[in-house]
Amino acid sequence: MERGERILEAAGELLVAWGYRRVTIDEIARRARVGKGTVYLHWKTKDALFLAVVLRSKLRSHRSQLARMRTDPLAVLPSRMMSGAYLDFLADPVLRALYHDDADILGRFTDIAKKELAELSAYSNEVVRHYLEVLRAHGLVRADMTVEQQQYALLATASGFFLSEALLHDRAPQSAEERSTVLARTVRGALETSADPDPGTGPAAARTREAAAAAAPDIIPAFERLAELSEREMHRQLRE
Amino acid sequence: MERGERILEAAGELLVAWGYRRVTIDEIARRARVGKGTVYLHWKTKDALFLAVVLRSKLRSHRSQLARMRTDPLAVLPSRMMSGAYLDFLADPVLRALYHDDADILGRFTDIAKKELAELSAYSNEVVRHYLEVLRAHGLVRADMTVEQQQYALLATASGFFLSEALLHDRAPQSAEERSTVLARTVRGALETSADPDPGTGPAAARTREAAAAAAPDIIPAFERLAELSEREMHRQLRE
DNA sequence: TCCGTGACCAGATTCGAAATCTGGTCACGA
DNA sequence: TCGTGACCAGATTTCGAATCTGGTCACGGA
């Protein structure tokens, strides 16, 4: 594993274990088996390093999302998309820490991230909007609300599930699969036109599959551009 | 307005304006135009006083919910219930502060409240569970998930919307009515069997109305007992 | 007699200056 | 040329003194 990668890995592990404030550049360098100065050969500041750590996790999640969409067009459905994103989120300690314990783990880092990632976040907004429009055009998403309202519904609902571990403590179902399934059903009921097309073999399920396959070529590139922007943003944190 | 009421009012105003830590009993007494000792004639501790402030707001919200259900049986539908609760929540500065700015407004108060209200919260859980079972028995809520899963879906979704002001900043629709409508539609799509029965005049809408009217007598008493327990809990904060 | 009050106290909180720590640099050496 | 760790300024922590505040209770007025 190359130096930069080792540093990101070490920073991520320490972030999750100790929280932003408690982690020192010294400690990261030690764990990555490099000199302290070497960290600064790669990243301008501590903030930039941790921003890169977070972007790396987000990027992984995006890529895994894209892989699912390329394998199975049904993965473009909002329900699939969200349950996939939710499972990725649970599997990545950095992303989980991000939502789980804002104050203790992240300290003031959230503010910095919000500011630095404003552009990315705005673009992500547009991608989601475009995504919903395409799905509506293909009859996969209902037209009983405005796109803006559906986007709000999607974001708010997802936030609730993502935060549910922290908010609901033990009142949530134990298994991640079960929670992701409930999320999928909630999103499907809120936005989509079809019943669950996965085990379906009838003509309706076939139609959904076709429509998803037709929509995918419009949707995948948009998310690819989002992933690219994430990656560019991640590299922009590097020195020069 | 009687003394105790004036004190609660003053405490609520100051809580919202200054946050838990900054508010002193002295200041509350001054604003309520009573002596400091008088506050302690009514409540055992500062914590008990603020717990009462919060319970008072929750109780008001419960009562307003009950009033809606008694006026219009359709208000027992989860979608109506949640949009109603959301609008009550937005209208009450104390409840809003509770979700809006956890750290700054509430300080360590959240922990205390979580502990003290554990019993109430457990009971509330049971009421919601019973509520969903009754609605399922009357065919108003679907049976495509377990009740536990639907309860989780409801709680997680609602949390997301309740927190959306804080989380989504400016990416949420401006008007409270619009947000509450989107919440209603999301919940309806996730749980209910009917389309919006309110403007509906067809036989399906009529059937929904009938079923809701039939379910209401089973549901209203359960929420009445919850309101009573809230009130008892609120009074239990009083001295003796 | 009894309800309301504010002076009072102990413990919690804040303050401030000294001591320590840490992000970031850079001269040096491999 | 690339990597390093000693070094520095400013941020953070520490810790005892000073202040503040939750809670009590003896007293006074109705």
Side-chain angles (χ1 to χ4, degrees):
Chain A
M1 201 194 297
E2 67 165 292
R3 283 177 143 67
E5 200 58 26
R6 277 218 314 280
I7 294 172
L8 283 176
E9 193 69 30
E13 288 168 11
L14 289 173
L15 176 65
V16 173
W18 298 2
Y20 181 77
R21 283 161 42 92
R22 278 183 279 273
V23 178
T24 68
I25 299 281
D26 249 328
E27 195 64 35
I28 293 168
R30 202 168 313 145
R31 178 177 282 235
R33 298 187 310 281
V34 297
K36 183 179 166 184
T38 308
V39 174
Y40 286 94
L41 285 182
H42 293 257
W43 289 276
K44 285 189 277 286
T45 64
K46 183 182 178 183
D47 289 348
L49 169 58
F50 279 103
L51 223 45
V53 168
V54 170
L55 283 167
R56 177 162 162 266
S57 283
K58 284 205 149 190
L59 185 57
R60 275 198 204 138
S61 167
H62 282 146
R63 286 208 213 286
S64 124
Q65 195 70 250
L66 279 165
R68 279 193 294 272
M69 290 196 283
R70 285 193 271 254
T71 307
D72 176 5
L74 282 179
V76 302
L77 292 174
S79 53
R80 296 302 178 85
M81 189 129 196
M82 293 322 297
S83 62
Y86 182 60
L87 289 172
D88 286 343
F89 158 83
L90 288 181
D92 185 321
V94 170
L95 293 179
R96 254 166 68 179
L98 228 63
Y99 278 76
H100 198 283
D101 196 356
D102 266 26
D104 194 36
I105 298 287
L106 298 176
R108 71 172 217 284
F109 180 63
T110 333
D111 309 331
I112 295 158
K114 289 274 147 71
K115 253 168 217 164
E116 286 296 316
L117 301 179
E119 192 199 350
L120 189 59
S121 160
Y123 187 69
S124 159
N125 236 29
E126 278 187 36
V127 168
V128 172
R129 199 196 139 92
H130 171 251
Y131 163 72
L132 287 173
E133 278 164 356
V134 170
L135 290 181
R136 280 167 71 129
H138 286 84
L140 290 166
V141 157
R142 300 201 301 266
D144 58 353
M145 291 189 269
T146 68
V147 175
E148 286 79 10
Q149 290 174 328
Q150 289 178 318
Q151 187 166 359
Y152 174 57
L154 191 61
L155 256 68
T157 304
S159 305
F161 279 82
F162 278 56
L163 288 168
S164 64
E165 271 186 306
L167 293 175
L168 303 173
H169 287 24
D170 47 346
R171 278 182 291 168
Q174 291 303 309
S175 103
E177 277 73 27
E178 194 176 351
R179 294 204 298 272
S180 79
T181 305
V182 175
L183 171 55
R185 293 205 183 203
T186 304
V187 168
R188 187 185 311 132
L191 299 183
E192 298 177 15
T193 53
S194 67
D196 187 355
D198 194 21
T201 50
R207 231 179 299 124
T208 300
R209 256 185 271 275
E210 259 174 57
D218 249 357
I219 288 170
I220 292 175
F223 282 97
E224 275 168 349
R225 294 223 318 266
L226 182 58
E228 275 160 33
L229 191 63
S230 280
E231 195 171 9
R232 194 150 62 242
E233 191 66 40
M234 183 174 123
H235 285 126
R236 226 185 56 185
Q237 302 305 322
L238 296 174
R239 187 169 286 284
E240 251 68 9
Chain B
M1 201 195 293
E2 67 165 294
R3 283 179 142 68
E5 200 57 27
R6 276 218 314 280
I7 294 172
L8 284 176
E9 193 70 29
E13 287 168 13
L14 289 173
L15 175 66
V16 173
W18 298 3
Y20 181 76
R21 283 161 43 89
R22 277 185 280 274
V23 178
T24 68
I25 298 283
D26 250 330
E27 194 65 36
I28 293 168
R30 202 168 312 144
R31 179 178 282 234
R33 297 189 310 282
V34 297
K36 182 179 168 184
T38 307
V39 173
Y40 285 95
L41 285 183
H42 292 256
W43 289 276
K44 285 190 276 285
T45 64
K46 182 182 179 182
D47 289 348
L49 169 59
F50 279 104
L51 222 45
V53 168
V54 170
L55 282 168
R56 178 162 161 264
S57 283
K58 284 206 150 190
L59 185 56
R60 273 200 205 135
S61 167
H62 281 146
R63 286 207 212 288
S64 124
Q65 195 67 251
L66 279 166
R68 279 193 293 273
M69 290 197 280
R70 285 192 271 253
T71 307
D72 175 6
L74 282 179
V76 302
L77 292 173
S79 53
R80 296 303 177 86
M81 189 128 196
M82 294 322 297
S83 62
Y86 182 61
L87 289 172
D88 287 344
F89 159 83
L90 288 180
D92 184 322
V94 170
L95 293 179
R96 256 168 65 179
L98 229 60
Y99 278 75
H100 197 284
D101 195 356
D102 265 26
D104 194 36
I105 297 287
L106 298 176
R108 73 173 216 283
F109 181 63
T110 334
D111 309 330
I112 297 159
K114 289 272 146 74
K115 255 170 214 162
E116 286 295 317
L117 301 180
E119 193 199 349
L120 190 60
S121 161
Y123 187 68
S124 160
N125 235 28
E126 279 188 35
V127 168
V128 172
R129 199 196 139 91
H130 172 252
Y131 162 73
L132 287 173
E133 278 165 356
V134 170
L135 290 180
R136 281 167 72 129
H138 286 85
L140 290 165
V141 158
R142 299 200 300 266
D144 57 354
M145 290 190 268
T146 69
V147 175
E148 286 78 11
Q149 290 175 329
Q150 289 178 319
Q151 187 165 357
Y152 175 57
L154 190 61
L155 256 68
T157 305
S159 305
F161 279 82
F162 277 56
L163 287 168
S164 64
E165 270 186 306
L167 294 175
L168 274 48
H169 286 30
D170 48 345
R171 277 182 291 168
Q174 291 304 309
S175 102
E177 278 74 27
E178 194 175 352
R179 294 203 300 270
S180 79
T181 304
V182 175
L183 172 55
R185 293 205 184 202
T186 304
V187 169
R188 188 186 309 132
L191 300 183
E192 299 178 15
T193 53
S194 68
D196 187 355
D198 193 21
T201 49
R207 232 179 298 125
T208 301
R209 255 185 272 274
E210 259 173 56
D218 249 357
I219 288 170
I220 292 176
F223 281 97
E224 275 168 350
R225 293 223 318 267
L226 182 58
E228 275 160 34
L229 191 63
S230 280
E231 195 172 9
R232 195 150 61 242
E233 192 66 40
M234 185 175 123
H235 284 125
R236 226 186 57 184
Q237 303 304 322
L238 294 173
R239 186 168 286 284
E240 251 72 7

